């Protein structure tokens, strides 16, 4: 019988360890958790880092999963139930709104884009499936933080970077944003993450009425929120369309009407 390759087993165990941790892990943590000598653990980590499967924080020297795993995971995302249920509804939303549509889920203290429908025009666009967005300032992230206790904790514990002058970073202000999101059932990002870009998102629930993701429309702020003299909030018709899409996907996942 063929024997397993020990180095591959150790590398797989290391990736599982990093995937299960709530924070980045140092070399000593990894070595002691897996019962490895530091030199052996360091060699495996360096190899995984060179392949993009592991990243090392320059300041602390600690390790976390790398972006290459997200790209490899796209084959799984293609058959993920949430994405499959969202396909038709998000296509309809993109056509109705004229803007890009995204479906995101909580992953590694951020929002993983698992589905992206291009804006229905002839402009050049880049597929963002597998990209990560922050929790504290994007519309997708705010919705997840408002409805998912795990996302809420991760957003509060993380460093909330100010991407623009509009980004809310203080804990009290952030909690107020989440309270507003829960009260009205949707979240907005008006130039809080990217200058000139606005988005609006709503939660997707499963059969247990638990949040499993969020859907958002994003585009130029003048189209999403209107021109000069407007309120600065997303247009009501656009908000309604996003919420209808989220409800439709949720119903397909067994959430019923809400």
């Amino acid at each position: 019988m063929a024997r397993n390759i020990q180095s591959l087993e150790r590398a797989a165990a290391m990736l599982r360890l990093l995937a299960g941790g709530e924070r980045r892990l140092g070399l000593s943590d990894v070595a002691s958790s897996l019962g490895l000598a530091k030199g052996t653990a360091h060699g495996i980590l360096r190899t995984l880092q060179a392949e993009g499967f592991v990243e090392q924080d320059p300041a602390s020297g600690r390790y976390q999963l790398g972006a290459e795993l997200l790209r490899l995971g796209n084959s799984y995302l293609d058959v993920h139930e949430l994405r499959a249920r969202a396909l038709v509804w998000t296509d309809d939303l993109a056509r109705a709104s004229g803007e890009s549509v995204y479906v995101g889920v909580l992953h590694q203290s951020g929002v993983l884009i698992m589905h992206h429908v291009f804006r229905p025009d002839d402009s050049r666009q880049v597929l963002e499936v597998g990209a990560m967005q922050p929790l504290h300032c994007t519309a997708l992230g705010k919705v997840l933080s408002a409805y998912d206790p795990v996302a809420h904790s991760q957003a509060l514990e993380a460093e909330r970077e100010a991407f623009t002058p509009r980004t809310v970073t203080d804990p009290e202000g952030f909690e107020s944003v989440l309270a507003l999101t829960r009260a009205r059932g949707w979240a907005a990002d008006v130039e809080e993450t990217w200058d000139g870009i606005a988005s609006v998102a709503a939660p997707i629930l499963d059969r247990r009425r638990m949040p499993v993701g969020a859907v958002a429309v994003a585009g130029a702020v003048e189209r999403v929120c209107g021109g000069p003299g407007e309120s600065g909030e997303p247009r009501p018709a656009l908000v309604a369309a996003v919420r209808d899409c989220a409800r439709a996907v949720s119903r397909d996942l067994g959430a019923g009407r809400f």
Side-chain angles (χ1 to χ4, degrees):
M1 180 181 293
R3 297 175 60 186
N4 293 340
I5 300 175
Q6 187 181 57
S7 59
L8 292 179
E9 288 181 330
R10 289 173 170 175
M14 202 167 286
L15 292 174
R16 292 190 184 98
L17 176 66
L18 292 172
E22 295 183 359
R23 296 179 176 82
R24 299 183 180 96
L25 297 178
L27 175 60
S28 297
D29 300 322
V30 173
S32 61
S33 296
L34 299 179
L36 300 174
K38 282 189 178 181
T40 301
H42 186 249
I44 296 173
L45 285 168
R46 288 291 298 273
T47 301
L48 292 172
Q49 184 180 0
E51 296 298 326
F53 297 135
V54 165
E55 296 174 353
Q56 186 179 31
D57 180 65
S60 67
R62 291 176 174 268
Y63 295 90
Q64 64 182 18
L65 294 181
E68 184 63 22
L69 288 173
L70 298 177
R71 285 188 284 271
L72 291 179
N74 284 348
S75 59
Y76 167 73
L77 295 178
D78 286 340
V79 296
H80 193 285
E81 184 181 9
L82 174 56
R83 183 180 184 277
R85 298 290 186 179
L87 286 175
V88 173
W89 300 112
T90 51
D91 283 349
D92 289 346
L93 179 58
R95 282 192 296 269
S97 66
E99 302 293 350
S100 300
V101 176
Y102 301 89
V103 177
V105 296
L106 177 66
H107 182 74
Q108 292 291 317
S109 300
V111 183
L112 171 66
I113 302 302
M114 61 176 301
H115 184 50
H116 173 198
V117 184
F118 282 163
R119 183 172 61 254
D121 60 21
D122 296 327
S123 62
R124 184 175 181 179
Q125 300 172 63
V126 177
L127 186 66
E128 296 186 41
V129 172
M132 295 291 292
Q133 293 185 2
L135 283 170
H136 69 285
C137 56
T138 60
L140 288 169
K142 291 177 189 179
V143 164
L144 292 174
S145 299
Y147 288 91
D148 186 335
V150 175
H152 181 215
S153 297
Q154 291 181 352
L156 287 177
E157 292 174 2
E159 180 180 352
R160 291 177 295 280
E161 180 180 352
F163 293 99
T164 76
R166 291 175 173 263
T167 309
V168 177
T169 59
D170 63 286
E172 294 79 11
F174 182 62
E175 289 287 13
S176 296
V177 169
L178 299 188
L180 178 61
T181 298
R182 287 187 288 268
R184 61 188 184 181
W186 56 275
D189 165 11
V190 181
E191 297 188 286
E192 295 176 48
T193 313
W194 300 280
D195 288 327
I197 301 297
S199 61
V200 56
I204 297 173
L205 309 180
D206 65 7
R207 59 183 57 87
R208 300 167 300 163
R209 307 298 290 271
M210 297 295 292
V212 293
V215 61
V217 159
V221 66
E222 61 269 17
R223 296 195 305 267
V224 174
C225 298
E230 299 286 345
S231 66
E233 288 283 313
R235 294 179 176 178
L238 192 59
V239 172
V242 172
R243 298 189 71 188
D244 285 346
C245 178
R247 291 189 185 104
V249 178
S250 299
R251 286 196 298 270
D252 280 359
L253 290 172
R257 294 188 175 275
F258 65 97

